[in-house]
Amino acid sequence: MSPTMLQQVDAHHRSLSEPKNGPFTYTDPVSEVPTLSGVDTSVDGSTPIIDMEGLLGPQRSEFVKQIGHACEKNGFFAVKNHGIPEMKINNMLDTARDFFHLPEEERLKFRSSDPNSIIRLVTGFQDKTRNIFVSRQSLKFHCHPVEDFKNQWPSTPPAFREKVGEYCASVRKVEVAILEAISESLGLKRDYIGKILKGHYVSINFYPACQESELDVTYGVRTHTDPTLITILMQDDVPGLQVINDDKWIDVNPIPNAVVVHVGDMLQALSNCRYKSLLHQAIVNCEKERVSIASYCYPSDDAEIGPAKKLIDDDHPAIYKDFTYKEFHESMWRVKCSTAKRLDLFKAESD
């Protein structure tokens, strides 16, 4: 059976409460919603674009405001003039393709079901209960500092460690600069978020062209939010990313040499829900394979993630209680939810 292109997981999940005893678990419901016909592909200029060079000049405050507005109103934005050399971007994308074109037995050396592995390959899978096929293949690995981890990365293709390491070091600088601007946009000190910043985790994503499946629906990756502070995504020239904007799905088409930055669950909590974690998904292309590089910015395990005290007052009470990233991360694997709804475990008690 030839699969259809897309089915959207319901973005508006039912409110569920934690049972009195036993682990808290629930599963995202799937609803009957539009496929590609429900995606707004006609919106021009729907992706806010930030010129990062502006953060280095006398108009920094204006660019900080632009970033804050994009985080609050859109949950994402594109960044140009970010300082990652075009050659490093192309090398990274080419190396990613080379890895996923290796013989299967070579790639499967890195397959692991342990989410805490330093490096692991995640392959596509079938969910027959929901009648869907998820086609994305991902190589996920830690990479900061690069020197601490690169010897555990693939040695094939031969240039993998060198080219990937160069890209990861460059994108890390972008992450730090953007998080400084986001801190300022919230009225916090420039280094507020940076003080809790720990790791840098990368996912090299490969989306094969449409594959035949006995199931009715094929996804690239299903609707989700990221359990991060921010995620920085580099796409090749094949469209596939879709996001929720103004309660509609829109395509976020690739912009040459630009990266897409979007809000994650931890920034939603830290900002007291002023900046909301972005619901997004990836679709597959029936003619071309697609590659993307996701860089995940996350806090240290002992970092306190509650709303910044400066953002709490009588008109803006705390939505979340204080919790550590370790507590959140551990609960994330118990709560079968792929969206920021998993933060409900840490909501502040109302009076």
Side-chain angles (χ1 to χ4, degrees), residues 39-220:
V39 179
D40 190 345
T41 59
S42 63
V43 179
D44 293 325
S46 57
T47 300
I49 300 176
I50 307 296
D51 187 340
M52 196 162 166
E53 285 186 346
L55 294 176
L56 305 176
Q59 302 299 317
R60 177 182 174 85
S61 61
E62 180 57 35
F63 285 90
V64 166
K65 288 179 182 177
Q66 291 179 18
I67 289 175
H69 184 269
C71 286
E72 186 167 0
K73 300 301 181 184
N74 304 88
F76 76 103
F77 53 92
V79 175
K80 65 179 184 178
N81 294 324
H82 41 64
I84 306 174
E86 183 177 358
M87 180 182 67
K88 290 185 180 180
I89 293 171
N90 292 335
N91 286 343
M92 181 67 172
L93 293 171
D94 289 344
T95 301
R97 291 188 194 94
D98 289 345
F99 175 81
F100 282 103
H101 289 160
L102 290 172
E104 184 178 42
E105 61 270 20
E106 186 68 28
R107 289 181 281 117
L108 290 180
K109 291 177 181 178
F110 297 95
R111 189 172 185 177
S112 171
S113 60
D114 180 4
N116 296 313
S117 294
I118 296 298
I119 182 168
R120 66 187 181 110
L121 177 74
V122 180
T123 57
F125 64 93
Q126 293 187 355
D127 184 340
K128 293 186 178 181
T129 302
R130 296 183 177 183
N131 204 35
I132 59 178
F133 174 61
V134 177
S135 67
R136 182 182 72 170
Q137 303 172 36
S138 300
L139 184 69
K140 302 173 181 289
F141 52 91
H142 291 272
C143 59
H144 179 77
V146 168
E147 295 303 318
D148 287 359
F149 296 106
K150 72 175 185 180
N151 287 337
Q152 299 181 62
W153 299 348
S155 56
T156 306
F160 188 98
R161 293 176 180 177
E162 176 189 357
K163 303 305 182 186
V164 171
E166 289 176 350
Y167 176 84
C168 291
S170 293
V171 78
R172 176 71 174 190
K173 295 177 183 177
V174 178
E175 290 175 349
V176 171
I178 290 174
L179 286 173
E180 288 179 346
I182 289 175
S183 291
E184 290 179 84
S185 74
L186 290 167
L188 306 173
K189 291 184 178 180
R190 185 181 294 193
D191 64 350
Y192 184 91
I193 298 177
K195 286 181 178 179
I196 66 170
L197 184 61
K198 179 194 177 184
H200 180 186
Y201 191 70
V202 162
S203 177
I204 298 177
N205 305 312
F206 179 74
Y207 302 88
C210 269
Q211 299 176 2
E212 291 291 320
S213 170
E214 64 182 19
L215 304 181
D216 286 341
V217 179
T218 296
Y219 276 99

Side-chain angles (χ1 to χ4, degrees), residues 272-290:
N272 205 29
C273 249
R274 182 168 163 185
Y275 300 164
K276 293 181 175 60
S277 196
L278 183 70
L279 274 168
H280 58 288
Q281 62 189 11
I283 61 170
V284 290
N285 188 296
C286 281
E287 298 178 357
K288 295 181 179 179
E289 63 188 30
R290 175 175 176 260

